[in-house]
Amino acid sequence: MADALVLPACVDARAAAGIWRELGARVPPAIDFAAVREIDSAGVALVAALRRRHLAVGGRDSAGTRAFPLLNVPDRFAQLCAAHRIDKELLP
């Protein structure tokens, strides 16, 4: 997906902070996990915050729905979401 935020191989607290600073007020239309090999709870918090920001600005996908596409999501992300009782709508 064009303009999707492509996450790095390791999404930990340091990477999440850098991504947050780099994005500034920009809201990506989607997040691509294709390169992710490691992700921790800071990565989950980053994705959740970006999803909230996307919905707050009325973000829409190509079909016009308020979805926030997550692409190539690793199993570890779903496991962390479940462990932290993250909103099931964040899961693909």
Side-chain angles (χ1 to χ4, degrees):
M1 174 177 276
D3 297 324
L5 171 62
V6 178
L7 295 175
C10 179
V11 187
D12 58 8
R14 178 176 285 183
I19 291 166
W20 189 259
R21 278 191 307 274
E22 188 176 311
L23 284 173
R26 186 172 77 82
V27 181
I31 296 179
D32 189 344
F33 290 78
V36 174
R37 300 293 169 253
E38 295 178 42
I39 188 165
D40 65 14
S41 57
V44 173
L46 171 69
V47 173
L50 290 173
R51 178 181 179 271
R52 282 191 301 275
R53 186 187 280 184
H54 175 85
L55 295 175
V57 299
R60 304 259 186 236
D61 65 10
S62 59
T65 64
R66 289 177 54 104
F68 186 54
L70 302 179
L71 312 169
N72 304 302
V73 179
D75 290 339
R76 179 72 176 142
F77 180 78
Q79 293 165 352
L80 286 167
C81 286
H84 293 289
R85 297 187 175 125
I86 301 294
D87 184 352
K88 67 181 179 195
E89 291 180 8
L90 188 57
L91 299 173

